[in-house]
Amino acid sequence: MIIEEYIGSELDSLSRSICATPETRESLDAFAKANFGSMDYLLTQMAVQYGYTLALNNIKEKLQDEVNVGGN
């Protein structure tokens, strides 16, 4: 499996997980503020998934930049 396919499959799995992965830092912060700490385990999982999504998207962008530079 090539790296782009792996990243795509990981991002897809996050969108189908039992816990919603926040789209933005603002939505994660809003959830944290709204629940007053009553769902700390869920909040932790959401934060982990958000961080993983950011990391995968950063790697994906870096790979695309490398392809674009190498292709010119």
Side-chain angles (χ1 to χ4, degrees), residues 5-17 56:
E5 291 174 352
Y6 174 75
I7 291 171
S9 69
E10 287 295 296
L11 289 170
D12 286 345
S13 72
L14 288 170
S15 67
R16 293 187 312 264
S17 69
L56 288 171

Side-chain angles (χ1 to χ4, degrees), residues 7-58:
I7 291 171
S9 69
E10 287 295 296
L11 289 170
D12 286 345
S13 72
L14 288 170
S15 67
R16 293 187 312 264
S17 69
I18 197 162
C19 167
T21 302
E23 293 286 323
T24 64
R25 172 66 188 261
E26 290 77 23
S27 62
L28 178 60
D29 289 342
F31 181 84
K33 185 176 180 181
N35 78 5
F36 301 107
S38 65
M39 299 281 289
D40 288 342
Y41 294 115
L42 178 61
L43 180 58
T44 299
Q45 183 60 36
M46 290 172 71
V48 167
Q49 287 180 203
Y50 179 66
Y52 189 45
T53 300
L54 286 177
L56 288 171
N57 282 324
N58 286 336

